[in-house]
Amino acid sequence: MRRRDFCTTAIGGILTMSSTSELLARRAFSPFAIRGVYFHDGFAAEPKSSAPLYWDFEAWKREIDWLKACGINTIEFATMLEFNRLPRTELEHKKIKDKLRILEYAHKKDMKFGYLLTNTVLSTVPDNEEPGNQLGNRAKNLCPQEPGNFEKTIAVPKFYMETFREADFFEEFAADWGGCECGRCGVPQFMQYVQVLAERLAELNPKATLYADTWCISFWGKEPMAQGWKGVFDHEISGTREVIQSLAKMPPNVGLALPCHHLYRPLALKEYGGKAKTPLFPTRDDLQTLRQAKRPVLAWPHFVMDDDAYRPAVWGLVHSEVRYIQDLLRTLQRAGIDRVVGNLYLPLLQISNTFAYGRLLWNPDEKPEQILREFAKLIAHKEDVDRLTDVLLWLENHSYWQEQMPEDGRLPLLPSTLDRKSASAQARQIRANEHLALPLPIKPKAWLQELGKSIEKMHWA
Ligand SMILES: [Zn+2]
């Protein structure tokens, strides 16, 4: 079962700038319409309470209240790797029950709920055992062209679609997990899942959209890594275009979700030899084709707000990527894409990025320094706001995202005079704010401790 390093790069050089200044002016003041967060709740972490894999409904409720306060209006879940089967254990039934309560709660708060569906993957966890941490890797992909496998595998996403039928949208995720590398399968087999699920959705919930998400579309092909990551990203362009072409034959409720790797992800930019050499995708023509076909487009960028357990250097650390989140959102805005779903793995640690993402979804031109100061006011005692702002500026300038970025993709640094030693010393002196202005999902004092620990672990800075 492949579960590599993929999750992350995307649309390299969109730049379908609007031709009229009037349109640009209007867009400059329009918030994104879908301002979403995708929760990945498949990894274990320490302490257990920090990992969504173990959260109960009350923990989710605190997180959703926080997102709402940040201006985020959409949440999305998926069936995690080992859970891809019809539910067998009490744990699986409880998780589904909690998610249904979350769906209802989100709707009560006037937020949208999305659910990401899979295709060829099936859990190999024994029936009487609970699925869990996805690093256990207990799942396999079945070729849908082998007799009986399509029926066997589509039963799982269908079950989840029927269960969450009140969702506002679904995504059918190409791969990672899922896909088929047998050599005979390709985009047409992926689209077979999309079509069947879209037809079912039209019966269950005619208002809902199903996005075909081309994340890891290259894993619908033989040896996707034969030409390394560059080959994977090249195939993401050709495979996505094949999906775009086949949308004409799809039911009208099908849209397109784009990983956008060529636009923002260091892994992709590096593979192409720098930002300047990274191909533009999607292009103005790609997006024009989609607009003319009246197919909604959702951007599904990943890893910039929070990275996963496959990069141990940053797993479990507080991140600050305000400049890169801003740059990505500006690029999407210029391309005319106003639906975006970012991601969180350990949401309690990433409250600063979540706050910044919320602010930038409303106004991508807000200054990063200003956003970090506003966040510092939430967390620090009023006499320590300057101190925390300085530490956050240092953290932002030394982010791992930036560390991985090729030279020509790096954004200008923010003004900061600290080094790692002084940032670490200063972080330890900050007193917490006792008067909460927003419903934070973690106590400021606890978050400040995590910040201090993170700085000590940033060995590259
Ligand atoms: Zn196959």
Side-chain angles (χ1 to χ4, degrees):
M1 182 68 216
R2 163 173 299 108
R3 192 65 191 72
R4 292 184 286 233
D5 183 37
F6 191 81
C7 300
T8 309
T9 312
I11 302 177
I14 284 190
L15 300 173
T16 54
M17 315 264 186
S18 280
S19 52
T20 71
S21 57
E22 188 191 334
L23 196 56
L24 280 176
R26 183 171 61 77
R27 281 191 185 140
F29 296 99
S30 298
F32 282 77
I34 288 189
R35 305 182 294 278
V37 166
Y38 161 71
F39 291 108
H40 185 109
D41 55 343
F43 290 111
E46 282 300 328
K48 249 182 154 181
S49 58
S50 67
L53 175 61
Y54 306 114
W55 282 7
D56 60 12
F57 176 69
E58 289 306 316
W60 283 113
K61 205 163 155 245
R62 287 193 290 276
E63 175 66 19
I64 292 163
D65 289 346
W66 161 241
L67 293 190
K68 173 81 181 177
C70 290
I72 286 159
N73 70 353
T74 301
I75 53 174
E76 185 183 36
F77 293 90
T79 310
M80 293 291 112
L81 179 70
E82 294 197 347
F83 290 81
N84 277 279
R85 64 181 184 185
L86 301 181
R88 305 262 197 270
T89 59
E90 205 179 310
L91 170 81
E92 289 160 274
H93 287 291
K94 165 126 187 10
K95 276 186 170 285
I96 290 172
K97 213 168 132 196
D98 283 349
K99 298 270 163 63
L100 285 168
R101 288 179 74 191
I102 293 166
L103 188 159
E104 198 185 333
Y105 187 66
H107 281 172
K108 238 184 246 164
K109 294 186 79 90
D110 204 21
M111 294 170 84
K112 291 183 170 57
F113 183 99
Y115 203 90
L116 191 130
L117 303 166
T118 53
N119 46 60
T120 61
V121 64
L122 276 188
S123 176
T124 54
V125 175
D127 277 2
N128 57 350
E129 280 184 33
E130 290 177 348
N133 186 1
Q134 78 177 53
L135 292 177
N137 219 20
R138 292 178 295 174
K140 62 181 176 188
N141 296 335
L142 299 186
C143 173
Q145 299 201 70
E146 294 296 329
N149 280 355
F150 182 75
E151 294 74 11
K152 203 187 285 179
T153 52
I154 198 149
V156 175
K158 245 188 181 170
F159 165 81
Y160 281 96
M161 177 181 270
E162 285 161 5
T163 302
F164 297 106
R165 66 183 66 197
E166 301 298 328
D168 301 277
F169 66 93
F170 290 86
E171 291 189 62
E172 164 56 12
F173 191 53
D176 184 30
W177 37 90
C180 183
E181 298 169 25
C182 73
R184 292 174 298 137
C185 284
V187 170
Q189 281 65 42
F190 168 55
M191 294 312 287
Q192 197 186 349
Y193 285 90
V194 173
Q195 177 156 9
V196 171
L197 292 167
E199 285 166 0
R200 184 71 183 118
L201 184 58
E203 295 164 358
L204 292 168
N205 183 352
K207 282 186 293 189
T209 300
L210 175 73
Y211 296 95
D213 186 334
T214 61
W215 184 274
C216 279
I217 189 78
S218 51
F219 295 171
W220 280 99
K222 199 170 173 64
E223 296 179 35
M225 290 293 290
Q227 271 82 48
W229 284 110
K230 184 176 172 296
V232 170
F233 293 123
D234 280 343
H235 195 169
E236 186 167 297
I237 298 177
S238 58
T240 299
R241 288 193 173 138
E242 208 178 326
V243 171
I244 293 173
Q245 289 310 313
S246 61
L247 285 176
K249 291 173 278 175
M250 289 292 131
N253 60 353
V254 178
L256 182 70
L258 293 165
C260 298
H261 285 128
H262 302 80
L263 294 183
Y264 76 96
R265 190 173 169 183
L267 178 63
L269 273 49
K270 211 180 249 173
E271 284 290 313
Y272 284 106
K275 192 176 181 180
K277 293 182 186 161
T278 303
L280 185 70
F281 183 73
T283 61
R284 183 199 300 253
D285 286 349
D286 295 319
L287 292 166
Q288 182 65 13
T289 305
L290 289 157
R291 264 185 226 112
Q292 277 169 354
K294 297 195 167 45
R295 301 289 180 168
V297 177
L298 172 79
W300 205 77
H302 210 78
F303 293 136
V304 57
M305 279 208 287
D306 196 0
D307 212 335
D308 71 16
Y310 296 99
R311 270 161 294 274
V314 276
W315 177 242
L317 303 195
V318 173
H319 300 245
S320 183
E321 314 290 356
V322 185
R323 291 165 302 150
Y324 290 97
I325 296 170
Q326 175 173 60
D327 191 57
L328 170 63
L329 294 179
R330 280 175 163 166
T331 306
L332 295 176
Q333 192 181 44
R334 284 197 300 268
I337 296 175
D338 69 350
R339 303 174 186 211
V340 59
V341 174
N343 73 287
L344 290 172
Y345 289 91
L346 298 174
L348 303 185
L349 291 184
Q350 308 317 342
I351 54 173
S352 58
N353 270 351
T354 309
F355 177 82
Y357 176 60
R359 293 287 284 248
L360 292 164
L361 286 165
W362 282 82
N363 176 12
D365 293 327
E366 193 169 358
K367 280 200 162 75
E369 302 92 306
Q370 182 59 27
I371 295 173
L372 289 172
R373 169 166 288 276
E374 293 296 322
F375 177 73
K377 281 188 199 164
L378 282 181
I379 299 293
H381 183 281
K382 62 178 189 244
E383 289 165 17
D384 287 342
V385 169
D386 286 345
R387 199 170 267 160
L388 178 55
T389 307
D390 286 348
V391 172
L392 292 171
L393 290 168
W394 178 86
L395 193 77
E396 169 82 21
N397 283 347
H398 296 87
S399 77
Y400 195 67
W401 191 262
Q402 169 150 312
E403 180 74 10
Q404 299 171 87
M405 193 62 94
E407 203 66 42
D408 75 339
R410 293 189 176 181
L411 295 171
L413 298 179
L414 300 178
S416 166
T417 53
L418 300 179
D419 58 20
R420 181 152 77 108
K421 205 169 156 206
S422 52
S424 178
Q426 197 154 308
R428 279 199 296 272
Q429 294 165 10
I430 297 164
R431 290 159 295 170
N433 180 8
E434 305 289 343
H435 310 283
L436 296 187
L438 292 178
L440 289 159
I442 177 172
K443 290 202 163 63
K445 195 175 171 188
W447 187 80
L448 285 167
Q449 282 167 355
E450 293 296 337
L451 174 67
K453 282 193 263 173
S454 298
I455 294 170
E456 279 162 28
K457 289 180 190 162
M458 290 170 65
H459 57 84
W460 62 86

